[in-house]
Amino acid sequence: MTVLRIILGDQLSADISALEGLDPGSDIVLMMEVMEETVYVAHHKQKIVLVLAAMRHFADDLRQRGVLVDYVALDAPENTGSLTTEIQRAVARHRPQRLVVTEPGEWRVDAMASNWQSLTGLPVEIRKDGRFFASRARFADWARGRQVWRMEYFYRELRREHAILMDHGQPAGGAWNFDALNRKRLPAHTSTPERLRFAPDAVTRAVMALVEQRFSGNFGSLDAFGWPVTRHDALLALNDFIAAGLPRFGDYQDAMKTGAPFLFHALLAPALNLGLLSPREVCDAAEAAWRSGSAPLNAVEGFVRQILGWREYVHGFYWFVMPGYEDCNAMQAMRSLPAFYWTGETPMRCLREAVASTVRYAYSHHIQRLMVTGNFALLAGIAPREIERWYLAVYADAYEWVEMPNTLGMAVFADGGQMASKPYAASGAYIDRMSDFCSGCRYDVKQKTGPDACPFNYLYWAFLIRQKDRLAKNPRLAMPYRTLAGWTAERQAATLAEADGFLDEIEVWR
Ligand SMILES: Cc1cc2nc3c(=O)[nH]c(=O)nc-3n(C[C@H](O)[C@H](O)[C@H](O)COP(=O)(O)OP(=O)(O)OC[C@H]3O[C@@H](n4cnc5c(N)ncnc54)[C@H](O)[C@@H]3O)c2cc1C
Ligand code: SF4
């Protein structure tokens, strides 16, 4: 009896549930490169290369283990370009008795999968994805009984349940959180480690040529492509982070530096999200580094909090609030995405830096995403769906389940507080404190108004004035609203006018 086992592009884990019970003598693994998945947003070229190259390597690994793989390449002449029609064609080729697939990671593909049974006329078993600490149902059980959902409490439960950084039932080091020790500014002249990057092999180079040919107009450059595309290289990248990045990850987690986009960050999200690494092994490696004395607890807890905390939380959250969440717009933001998000053509140095590393590496780190490009989108009132599609398009690690809650919930507060307890709105002072960008900027971060003032300064106050009815009661914003209460009506009107004038001006930056 032939079972057709479908492996999707972000399911590249040897222990994925769709492969459980595989009979190499009769079963066939189907993998498909389809146009539909490469164009639902206009991905950065590196994202397309990453996924296709990793799929091709994964298929080779399966074949070496004696598994029969039916691989449909993007440029195969008969490729119909859609997952559903490729599955129908594969059914006609192999005449299997049934289909097995692991639940897709994005709602869009999940909706497609629910039709495969009726379209093929065969039983389709959709198996749970066991690659997260918490299943979708686990999050839903936790969320259902609560009025507010906060990552911190979910995270603590998962720490206990999975015995990560726990000693005798208590959090290691006697505290759940060491954030007070983290988030330092990077002292000038601090050296940052050279990070391990991977030269493309012949398989990856062939995909690069294909992408340059078929997606020449897409955003981004392939020149600096260096992401791991195999399990072997992903493990090397993990080891590199544990040795070179982790010890100072906590201290400088929020720091930004000109020309240094990676700093002490993990650079592991692309491999994790494809399934080349498991979140469990990544957390275990970090904990082992602390227990052996090679990394301090504030760094290791800070890192585990990102994986076991944020990553699991946004995953559960996405599946709990979809569909419907994609249309939220609690701040009634309507402005179109400014062209500089694609071109980097802006005199604002912090934004220029963030876009430059995005073009070159399909990467910018969390604080650049949240407090530079995200903060600007929030303050400028950019339509949530436009900025959300941008984040989904431009990063190598972007998948809707992780990107959408981070963008709509965290960066632009479009859900009105379902995910975060307050908008991450900040003036230029925050960027100045955490980076060296301002010293080389055309604007002056110390000036609050006038043609040379840092635009983040007046945009911040204009945002609070505009959103007063929605936000003034938020206890976490009590301080700025107390300050605003002391402003005259004229001063508030002048601030709004200055912000509007600036926002009109950026339309012509090209
Ligand atoms: C607007 C916005 C969009 C984002 N889009 C994505 C996305 O599409 N894909 C993605 O993986 N992450 C996304 N993030 C989260 C985070 O910025 C990236 O995971 C991180 O920058 C990846 O780089 P790194 O591997 O060096 O991570 P590090 O900063 O070193 O963190 C370690 C790991 O923790 C996890 N992590 C950290 N923060 C988060 C978070 N907020 N949510 C989920 N996981 C987290 C990632 O797996 C990451 O690899 C987004 C954040 C924001 C603010
Ligand atoms: S002065 Fe303002 S715009 Fe310029 S880098 Fe600093 S925060 Fe960014």
Side-chain angles (χ1 to χ4, degrees):
M1 158 155 143
T2 300
V3 179
L4 188 66
R5 296 171 183 271
I6 298 162
I7 295 291
L8 301 171
D10 58 354
Q11 297 183 338
L12 309 182
S13 316
D15 61 352
I16 186 99
S17 58
L19 298 181
E20 277 166 24
L22 176 135
D23 180 346
S26 61
D27 292 355
I28 292 166
V29 171
L30 175 65
M31 296 181 71
M32 301 155 281
E33 298 177 356
V34 291
M35 271 311 260
E36 175 182 70
E37 291 303 299
T38 53
V39 298
Y40 67 92
V41 288
H43 303 278
H44 193 299
K45 288 179 192 161
Q46 290 196 24
K47 166 83 181 295
I48 306 176
V49 170
L50 173 69
V51 176
L52 301 190
M55 286 174 70
R56 291 181 183 197
H57 281 99
F58 187 78
D60 287 345
D61 287 350
L62 287 178
R63 288 192 193 102
Q64 273 169 24
R65 284 169 39 203
V67 176
L68 293 167
V69 181
D70 181 356
Y71 194 95
V72 184
L74 192 73
D75 51 355
E78 63 282 12
N79 188 334
T80 55
S82 113
L83 289 176
T84 298
T85 46
E86 281 310 300
I87 289 168
Q88 287 173 310
R89 281 202 324 120
V91 164
R93 276 198 299 279
H94 303 295
R95 308 223 165 271
Q97 276 69 50
R98 62 193 186 94
L99 275 61
V100 174
V101 63
T102 296
E103 54 195 2
E106 298 190 349
W107 197 85
R108 184 180 53 82
V109 185
D110 200 61
M112 275 182 223
S114 60
N115 290 323
W116 289 342
Q117 182 148 319
S118 61
L119 289 172
T120 58
L122 292 174
V124 177
E125 187 189 348
I126 301 182
R127 294 184 175 170
K128 299 278 172 243
D129 189 346
R131 297 175 302 162
F132 290 87
F133 284 100
S135 66
R136 298 172 192 181
R138 170 72 182 83
F139 183 89
D141 286 346
W142 176 83
R144 248 181 230 115
R146 285 175 166 73
Q147 298 223 303
V148 283
W149 312 324
R150 292 292 169 251
M151 184 283 283
E152 182 68 32
Y153 301 108
F154 189 58
Y155 165 64
R156 290 181 191 184
E157 286 190 16
L158 293 189
R159 286 262 302 267
R160 284 199 188 90
E161 259 170 52
H162 296 276
I164 293 187
L165 283 180
M166 298 296 291
D167 282 328
H168 313 292
Q170 296 303 315
W176 292 106
N177 186 322
F178 297 89
D179 277 353
L181 298 173
N182 294 345
R183 303 175 174 169
K184 299 185 181 89
R185 186 191 163 99
L186 192 71
H189 312 303
T190 307
S191 63
T192 54
E194 192 66 30
R195 302 304 296 275
L196 186 62
R197 305 283 291 165
F198 299 88
D201 66 4
V203 172
T204 305
R205 285 198 304 275
V207 178
M208 289 166 89
L210 180 69
V211 168
E212 285 293 16
Q213 184 206 344
R214 295 236 171 164
F215 303 95
S216 57
N218 281 36
F219 178 76
S221 149
L222 285 180
D223 296 348
F225 184 91
W227 297 107
V229 294
T230 62
R231 163 94 180 139
H232 175 267
D233 285 355
L235 285 170
L236 293 178
L238 172 59
N239 291 342
D240 176 63
F241 166 64
I242 298 289
L246 183 63
R248 285 187 285 174
F249 174 85
D251 288 353
Y252 303 121
Q253 198 173 336
D254 289 5
M256 297 175 277
K257 184 176 159 73
T258 307
F262 301 151
L263 294 174
F264 306 100
H265 287 274
L267 314 183
L268 294 178
L272 275 164
N273 297 349
L274 283 172
L276 299 177
L277 293 173
S278 82
R280 174 91 222 189
E281 73 190 331
V282 165
C283 289
D284 286 349
E287 178 163 359
W290 170 61
R291 294 204 184 272
S292 69
S294 56
L297 187 55
N298 68 307
V300 172
E301 190 284 319
F303 177 70
V304 166
R305 166 178 295 268
Q306 306 309 315
I307 303 274
L308 181 65
W310 282 112
R311 190 171 186 273
E312 293 294 323
Y313 179 77
V314 299
H315 175 250
F317 180 93
Y318 172 81
W319 284 101
F320 195 63
V321 297
M322 285 295 280
Y325 189 76
E326 70 276 21
D327 293 324
C328 63
N329 189 0
M331 301 284 106
Q332 294 295 300
M334 304 293 181
R335 184 173 294 277
S336 301
L337 188 73
F340 72 76
Y341 274 82
W342 300 108
T343 62
E345 302 268 318
T346 161
M348 299 172 77
R349 193 171 185 220
C350 49
L351 285 166
R352 218 168 50 228
E353 274 291 312
V355 176
S357 71
T358 304
V359 170
R360 184 159 170 75
Y361 298 110
Y363 181 86
S364 69
H365 73 65
H366 184 67
I367 294 302
Q368 287 177 300
R369 297 187 204 191
L370 184 64
M371 301 308 296
V372 179
T373 44
N375 186 26
F376 187 88
L378 171 74
L379 301 185
I382 292 169
R385 200 62 173 153
E386 292 206 20
I387 186 69
E388 190 274 315
R389 293 288 102 174
W390 182 79
Y391 280 110
L392 188 61
V394 300
Y395 291 113
D397 54 37
Y399 297 87
E400 192 179 274
W401 66 264
V402 51
E403 175 275 331
M404 186 182 279
N406 269 298
T407 305
L408 299 184
M410 293 257 280
V412 297
F413 207 65
D415 65 7
Q418 277 178 287
M419 190 167 155
S421 56
K422 74 170 183 82
Y424 283 86
S427 69
Y430 174 86
I431 295 171
D432 191 32
R433 191 163 63 247
M434 298 315 302
S435 78
D436 62 358
F437 298 150
C438 300
S439 54
C441 183
R442 168 249 177 276
Y443 296 105
D444 180 352
V445 73
K446 300 279 186 273
Q447 290 192 40
K448 308 290 180 231
T449 65
D452 294 332
C454 167
F456 276 106
N457 292 341
Y458 47 80
L459 287 176
Y460 171 75
W461 289 108
F463 169 77
L464 290 178
I465 296 166
R466 260 191 214 106
Q467 299 293 347
K468 191 169 163 206
D469 291 347
R470 295 190 179 96
L471 298 177
K473 288 204 178 70
N474 185 322
R476 298 197 61 198
L477 293 173
M479 215 153 60
Y481 275 108
R482 263 201 304 277
T483 305
L484 260 188
W487 286 25
T488 61
E490 290 73 28
R491 185 171 174 193
Q492 296 199 17
T495 303
L496 287 175
E498 186 161 24
D500 285 343
F502 170 78
L503 291 172
D504 288 343
E505 188 188 314
I506 64 174
E507 298 298 335
V508 297
W509 288 348
R510 286 282 182 276

